[in-house]
Every structure is written in structure tokens, then in C-alpha cells.
């Protein structure tokens, strides 16, 4: 019951009692005067009660108006399973390649039909052309993270379908997944298969095809143990000694050792990396080893508000499989049975220029030059070079159409060469 109603009821009772008393002792005029006084007192109390209620309403409205808006619900990247956050993603990539080779053919089952591999350009055959439709570069990944103490333990596993030995084009085009990356991270440590610490992935040019300008590019994924401290990274990585005339040797005792320093700012990023390698071969009756080393400077530089320049300069002895998708080898076995590290140097430069609302142009040059020993003869690769231009257009969120034209040349020590020209059209949806 409100305070005003209580006052009204009590006042009414008082009036009745008072009227009875007044009727016995006073005249009619005195009774009327007393009644008017009581009514006036009642009106005053009712006015006070109304003012108090209005003040309470104003205070409540002011509190609601001035209170800060409730924070939006946080967006979650992934979904929780217990105390582990899982995230699934990847892309569907459908490509059409029209390829022309000046001197030979590439087998239909070769991974070189799906993207540019410099050492696969044939020399000494007949001119051939062919068209391929493929979705093998489609990719998926699963990542997981969970709190451990004051830090986070995370893991990542990633696969695509390139280079599958299972499928063929006869009926179903069924291709098995291949492992790309599989690693875990805790604090400053990374353990597992990841991009080599010798490589800066931001230097990879944007393209319509799976990979472009690989001639002079450092490009390796492999198992490793990596420690990061600020701008510095140090790693021991899986060793393997490739030779030009004695096959691929897997008899190393010492892992490849990499040190890298990263610089990042408004200008973009630049990395300086060095690698030291034991190159070893064991032929049963005898064994030999050589020392390999390399230096790489790579990165992506901002050129104005939107353009960027991507580059990679690399050189050394015995760096072999780290550059050009193994266009060269790390060593050669000389006539005396000794391993000799092979010198090579190369690089790439690519320019990316956005235009319109969602389109951009990407183009550039890459090359690798190899100083092979004379005793190997003229049939080994002395250089690989390529140029490309691509236009990419985001037609919807996460959906990109691309067209691209590539031209590459491989040359041997004898002076013989062969070329590849490839047009690519791609459609990619990332999720």
C-alpha cells in the first residue's frame, strides 16, 4: 500500500472523529473551519508524496541513460572442446592450366603439371602442348590450443592433395592427402614440421597458381626444433645430402643449423638468415663429407599505401635443395670419391599493385645460377629463370578469381635449353 493511500485513509478517519467531537462542542462555523484545515493539510501531504515519486523516476531514467552500453559478446575464433579451442579452415582451389613446352613433355602423373617446378622443364624433345583441370591444391588444416599455466600450448596440422601417388585421371580422380605442416608450439619453442627457418614466407609472391617464381626462392618445409627470442630465431633442422652423381644420401649425423634475425616495422619486414650444413655420404666401403653454408636476405617492403615489393636474395655452397625446389644439388662426387659442395646463387623480385576495389596485379622475375664442376659434363642444369604476370580479383568475400601467364627457361652446361609457357585460370574459396 502506497504512502499516499495510507495518509488518505488515516486522514479520513481523523476527519470523522473530529467531526463527531466538533458536533458536540462547537458551532457549525467552527466545524467547517476545522474541516477545511484538515483538507488543506491532506493536500499538502499528497503534493509532497507526488514530488518524491517524480524525483525517483528522474533518477532512474538518468541512471539508465548515463550507464555505459553493455560490451558486445566476444567473438570466438574456433570452438571449445573441454578446455581446448579447435579451429578448422583451408580453401578449395580449382585450376585450369594450358601449358606449352618447347622441347619435350611432362608426364601426366607429374606434380610439375600442377605448378611450376624449374628442374622439370624438358630439354631436347619435341614441342608439346596440353591442358589440365585440377583441384589437388585444395587444402585444409586443424589447429588446437589450450592454456598451460600462464601460457598456451598450440598445435597445427595441414594437408593438401598435390603429388598424390594414389589417384589418376581415368575415372574418379581420387587423390590422397599429403602432409604439409604438423607442429606444436609452447612459449618460445616450436617442434615439428614447419617452413624452414631459413625461409621468409612473406617473400612468396601472390599468384593464381599454387607457386610461382620458385627458381631463386628459398622454399623448404621440414621437421625441426626452433627457438625464438625476440627478433632472433635459432633452429636445428632435418639434414639430407643430395648429390648430382651419387643420388640422395641420408647418412648425416649433424642436423642443419639455421640462425635468423627478423626486422619488422611500417616499412614491412626483412629477414637475414644463415645456414650451416654437414654434407655426408657413406658408400659402405668409404665415406666422405663436406661443409655447406648459405646466406639469405628476404622480405616484403611496402611501396606507398598499398603496393608492396617482395624479394629474396640467396647464395652459398651446398645449399642445394633449399633453393629452386632442388633445381640443383648440394654436392657432387669427384673422380677421387670426395664430396664437393656446389656453389649457387639466385633470387627473386615481385611487385604487387592493387587497383579498383578488390583487384590487384602481381608480377616479377626469378633466377638461379649454378657453378657446377667441369667433370660433370654438359648435361647438368646451369641456370633456371622465369617471369610471370597475374591479375587477381575478389568477386565475393573469400572468393578469388585469377589469371596468370608464366614463361620459364632451363639451361644446361652444354648451352642447350628448353622453355615452358603456361596460362592459368584459378578459382579459390577460402574458409
Amino acid at each position: 500500500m502506497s504512502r499516499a493511500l495510507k495518509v488518505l485513509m488515516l486522514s479520513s478517519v481523523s476527519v470523522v472523529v473530529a467531526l463527531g467531537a466538533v458536533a458536540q462542542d462547537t458551532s457549525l462555523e467552527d466545524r467547517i473551519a476545522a474541516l477545511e484545515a484538515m483538507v488543506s493539510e491532506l493536500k499538502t501531504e499528497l503534493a509532497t508524496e507526488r514530488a518524491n515519486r517524480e524525483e525517483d523516476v528522474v533518477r532512474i531514467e538518468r541512471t539508465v541513460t548515463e550507464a555505459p552500453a553493455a560490451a558486445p559478446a566476444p567473438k570466438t575464433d574456433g570452438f571449445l572442446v573441454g578446455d581446448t579451442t579447435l579451429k578448422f579452415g583451408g580453401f578449395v582451389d580449382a585450376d585450369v592450366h594450358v601449358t606449352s613446352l618447347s622441347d619435350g613433355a611432362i608426364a601426366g602423373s607429374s606434380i610439375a603439371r600442377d605448378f611450376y617446378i624449374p628442374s622439370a622443364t624438358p630439354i631436347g624433345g619435341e614441342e608439346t602442348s596440353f591442358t589440365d583441370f585440377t583441384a589437388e591444391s585444395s587444402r585444409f588444416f586443424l589447429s588446437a590450443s589450450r592454456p598451460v599455466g600462464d601460457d598456451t600450448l598450440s598445435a597445427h596440422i595441414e594437408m593438401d592433395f598435390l603429388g598424390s601417388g594414389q589417384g589418376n585421371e581415368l575415372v574418379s580422380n581420387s587423390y590422397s592427402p599429403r602432409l604439409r605442416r604438423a607442429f606444436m608450439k609452447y612459449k618460445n619453442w616450436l617442434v615439428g614440421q614447419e617452413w624452414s627457418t631459413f625461409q621468409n614466407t612473406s617473400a612468396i609472391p601472390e599468384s593464381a597458381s599454387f607457386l610461382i617464381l620458385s627458381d631463386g626462392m628459398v622454399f623448404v618445409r621440414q621437421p625441426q626444433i626452433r627457438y625464438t627470442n625476440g627478433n632472433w630465431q635459432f633452429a636445428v633442422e632435418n639434414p639430407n645430402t643430395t648429390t648430382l652423381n651419387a643420388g640422395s644420401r641420408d647418412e648425416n649425423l649433424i642436423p642443419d643449423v639455421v640462425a635468423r634475425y627478423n626486422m619488422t616495422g611500417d616499412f614491412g619486414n626483412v629477414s637475414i638468415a644463415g645456414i650451416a650444413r654437414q654434407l655426408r655420404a657413406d658408400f659402405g666401403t668409404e665415406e666422405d663429407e663436406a661443409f655447406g653454408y648459405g646466406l639469405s636476405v628476404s622480405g616484403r617492403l611496402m611501396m606507398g599505401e598499398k603496393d608492396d615489393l617482395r624479394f629474396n636474395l640467396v647464395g652459398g655452397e651446398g645449399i642445394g635443395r633449399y633453393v629452386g625446389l632442388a633445381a640443383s644439388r648440394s654436392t657432387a662426387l669427384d673422380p677421387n670419391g670426395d664430396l664437393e659442395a656446389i656453389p649457387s646463387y639466385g633470387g627473386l623480385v615481385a611487385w604487387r599493385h592493387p587497383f579498383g576495389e578488390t583487384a590487384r596485379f602481381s608480377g616479377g622475375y626469378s633466377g638461379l645460377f649454378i657453378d657446377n664442376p667441369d667433370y660433370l659434363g654438359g648435361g647438368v642444369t646451369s641456370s633456371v629463370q622465369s617471369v610471370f604476370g597475374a591479375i587477381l580479383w575478389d568477386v565475393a568475400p573469400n572468393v578469388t578469381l585469377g589469371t596468370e601467364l608464366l614463361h620459364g627457361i632451363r639451361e644446361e652446361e652444354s648451352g642447350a635449353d628448353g622453355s615452358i609457357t603456361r596460362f592459368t585460370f584459378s578459382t579459390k574459396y577460402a574458409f
Side-chain angles (χ1 to χ4, degrees):
M1 183 181 295
S2 70
R3 181 182 172 188
L5 183 57
K6 291 179 180 179
V7 171
L8 180 60
M9 294 176 64
L10 292 174
S11 298
S12 301
V13 173
S14 299
V15 168
V16 173
V17 174
L19 286 175
V22 170
Q24 297 177 1
D25 302 325
T26 63
S27 64
L28 180 60
E29 290 81 3
D30 293 336
R31 284 180 287 175
I32 293 173
L35 181 60
E36 290 178 345
M38 291 181 183
V39 171
S40 177
E41 182 180 356
L42 177 60
K43 290 171 65 179
T44 300
E45 291 190 14
L46 288 173
T48 302
E49 177 69 16
R50 180 181 299 169
N52 289 338
R53 289 202 311 270
E54 290 177 349
E55 182 178 348
D56 289 341
V57 171
V58 170
R59 184 170 58 253
I60 292 172
E61 289 179 345
R62 182 183 300 116
T63 301
V64 172
T65 303
E66 295 178 355
K75 294 183 178 180
T76 58
D77 188 15
F79 56 94
L80 279 174
V81 177
D83 59 354
T84 300
T85 299
L86 298 177
K87 181 181 177 182
F88 179 81
F91 57 76
V92 176
D93 185 9
D95 297 334
V96 179
H97 304 297
V98 181
T99 304
S100 176
L101 299 169
S102 66
D103 289 80
I106 297 175
S109 60
S110 172
I111 193 174
R113 299 280 288 246
D114 299 313
F115 66 96
Y116 173 58
I117 298 180
S119 61
T121 302
I123 296 174
E126 298 294 329
E127 181 178 357
T128 59
S129 299
F130 46 84
T131 297
D132 291 302
F133 285 63
T134 179
E136 292 176 61
S137 59
S138 297
R139 183 183 309 172
F140 62 92
F141 72 83
L142 178 66
S143 63
S145 63
R146 60 176 297 176
V148 176
D150 296 331
D151 218 298
T152 300
L153 173 65
S154 63
H156 181 97
I157 185 166
E158 180 179 288
M159 297 184 180
D160 66 12
F161 305 87
L162 285 167
S164 169
Q166 174 192 352
N168 58 59
E169 301 177 24
L170 297 182
V171 179
S172 64
N173 288 267
S174 303
Y175 299 103
S176 56
R178 65 163 186 167
L179 181 66
R180 286 174 51 86
R181 303 159 70 200
F183 62 86
M184 50 189 163
K185 294 175 68 175
Y186 181 67
K187 293 187 176 180
N188 296 350
W189 293 93
L190 178 150
V191 180
Q193 180 161 306
E194 175 60 312
W195 297 105
S196 172
T197 311
F198 194 51
Q199 177 184 359
N200 182 348
T201 56
S202 68
I204 299 176
E206 185 178 22
S207 61
S209 57
F210 172 78
L211 182 65
I212 209 73
L213 297 189
S214 53
D215 315 75
M217 180 190 301
V218 177
F219 190 96
V220 176
R221 292 185 301 268
Q222 62 188 5
Q224 61 191 272
I225 301 173
R226 180 192 299 171
Y227 176 76
T228 301
N229 186 1
N231 294 345
W232 284 99
Q233 293 181 312
F234 303 93
V236 288
E237 304 190 3
N238 183 64
N240 184 278
T241 299
T242 56
T243 77
L244 278 170
N245 52 357
S248 180
R249 317 300 305 186
D250 200 14
E251 294 117 14
N252 294 74
L253 296 174
I254 301 174
D256 294 350
V257 180
V258 182
R260 172 172 156 184
Y261 185 79
N262 303 308
M263 296 170 283
T264 305
D266 294 338
F267 63 89
N269 73 82
V270 174
S271 297
I272 302 173
I275 187 170
R277 309 184 64 200
Q278 179 200 44
L279 306 170
R280 183 174 182 268
D282 186 349
F283 301 102
T285 58
E286 58 180 320
E287 64 181 59
D288 194 41
E289 65 179 64
F291 176 71
Y293 66 90
L295 181 66
S296 172
V297 180
S298 57
R300 178 170 60 189
L301 302 176
M302 301 306 300
M303 310 294 289
E305 294 184 2
K306 298 181 178 180
D307 292 30
D308 67 61
L309 187 72
R310 308 180 190 202
F311 71 96
N312 183 186
L313 301 174
V314 61
E317 294 187 7
I319 53 178
R321 64 187 178 88
Y322 280 87
V323 186
L325 304 182
S328 177
R329 299 293 184 265
S330 304
T331 63
L333 193 66
D334 72 12
N336 298 320
D338 297 327
L339 284 180
E340 179 181 356
I342 298 176
S344 60
Y345 62 93
L348 69 88
V349 59
W351 173 50
R352 181 180 182 272
H353 171 66
F355 62 91
E357 293 294 327
T358 60
R360 59 265 188 204
F361 166 82
S362 182
Y365 163 81
S366 182
L368 176 67
F369 304 91
I370 306 154
D371 186 10
N372 294 296
D374 293 338
Y375 55 78
L376 292 175
V380 294
T381 300
S382 61
S383 68
V384 286
Q385 303 177 70
S386 67
V387 294
F388 91 106
I391 294 177
L392 300 106
W393 178 30
D394 295 335
V395 296
N398 301 326
V399 179
T400 303
L401 300 182
T403 60
E404 175 181 286
L405 186 62
L406 158 81
H407 183 71
I409 299 175
R410 182 171 77 90
E411 184 175 358
E412 294 179 340
E413 289 290 349
S414 64
D417 62 33
S419 67
I420 177 174
T421 301
R422 174 173 287 165
F423 171 80
T424 296
F425 173 77
S426 70
T427 303
K428 180 184 293 185
Y429 169 59
F431 56 88

